[in-house]
Amino acid sequence: MSLSPTQRRYLRSLAHDLSPVILLGNKGATDAVAKELGNALDQHELVKVKLSGGDKEERQAQVAFLTGETKAETVQEIGHVVVLFRRNEQDPKLALPR
């Protein structure tokens, strides 16, 4: 499922007031972090993640790992914070515009 620009804009507006749910430490993105992120996405559908330090390539690798493991989509990425979205098919919580 690919998000349209309208849907991305809507999700960015919802994510503005969110606090980061997942904080990556020195080890970065691991399998355990991906599992917890999957649980958070099942609960909330829209999650803010604060990435660990490092250069831009390292952060991009962390985002690619997390989105690949959880099958989530990147809504927004600013600095060390990324917003991820994954629809919960059994119990959707957010109504997306068309």
Side-chain angles (χ1 to χ4, degrees):
M1 174 185 132
S2 180
L3 294 173
S4 71
T6 304
Q7 291 170 335
R8 283 188 195 280
R9 188 170 38 246
Y10 174 71
L11 290 172
R12 281 196 314 260
S13 71
L14 292 178
H16 180 73
D17 294 330
L18 293 179
S19 297
V21 174
I22 304 289
L23 303 171
L24 296 184
N26 290 336
K27 293 184 180 180
T30 62
D31 291 332
V33 171
K35 183 178 177 186
E36 287 302 315
L37 177 59
N39 292 339
L41 286 166
D42 287 339
Q43 291 286 323
H44 304 289
E45 292 186 335
L46 187 66
V47 174
K48 211 180 248 191
V49 178
K50 183 158 174 106
L51 303 171
S52 62
D55 58 354
K56 187 173 183 176
E57 290 81 25
E58 184 179 339
R59 291 192 309 266
Q60 290 291 340
Q62 291 175 355
V63 171
F65 175 78
L66 292 174
T67 56
E69 290 291 315
T70 61
K71 311 239 182 325
E73 291 195 50
T74 303
V75 174
Q76 183 179 30
E77 186 176 348
I78 298 177
H80 292 268
V81 178
V82 64
V83 178
L84 301 175
F85 174 77
R86 183 180 71 193
R87 162 103 35 226
N88 185 341
E89 297 299 329
Q90 285 78 28
D91 185 23
K93 308 230 181 332
L94 300 173
L96 293 177
R98 295 231 176 238

